[in-house]
């Protein structure tokens, strides 16, 4: 719960050696995807919402299908 219906958040992930996937959705719409299984890290700013948005929640779904996987995910507060 980001506490705001729109804004920009910092996102950072680290998928290490074993690949994983990440999808972020807002109000049922995909707003970011790794596009499948990936290794390594990325950091970026993600904008969500609009003047007509009503939800304050984004959902991050990580898929880690391989045994022994490790990952880290950070989503910051709206700017």
């Amino acid at each position: 719960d980001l506490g705001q219906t729109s804004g920009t958040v910092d996102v950072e992930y680290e998928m290490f050696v074993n690949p994983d996937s990440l999808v972020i959705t807002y109000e049922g719409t995909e707003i970011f995807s790794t596009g499948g299984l990936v290794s390594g890290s990325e950091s970026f700013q993600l904008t969500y919402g609009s003047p007509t948005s009503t939800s304050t929640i984004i959902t991050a779904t990580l898929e880690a299908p391989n045994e022994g996987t490790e990952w880290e995910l950070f989503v910051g507060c709206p700017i």
Side-chain angles (χ1 to χ4, degrees):
D1 190 335
L2 299 173
Q4 297 180 16
T5 58
S6 64
T8 300
V9 294
D10 291 325
V11 177
E12 298 175 17
Y13 67 79
E14 172 65 67
M15 302 302 191
F16 298 99
V17 177
N18 255 340
D20 304 301
S21 69
L22 171 64
V23 174
I24 299 176
T25 58
Y26 176 72
E27 292 188 331
T29 300
E30 184 178 293
I31 57 174
F32 173 79
S33 173
T34 57
L37 298 174
V38 297
S39 296
S41 62
E42 186 174 352
S43 61
F44 54 93
Q45 289 192 319
L46 180 64
T47 300
Y48 71 96
S50 71
T52 60
S53 297
T54 58
S55 179
T56 59
I57 296 173
I58 65 170
T59 302
T61 304
L62 276 146
E63 181 181 349
N66 300 310
E67 189 173 319
T69 189
E70 296 178 278
W71 53 265
E72 293 177 358
L73 174 63
F74 169 81
V75 178
C77 295
I79 301 172

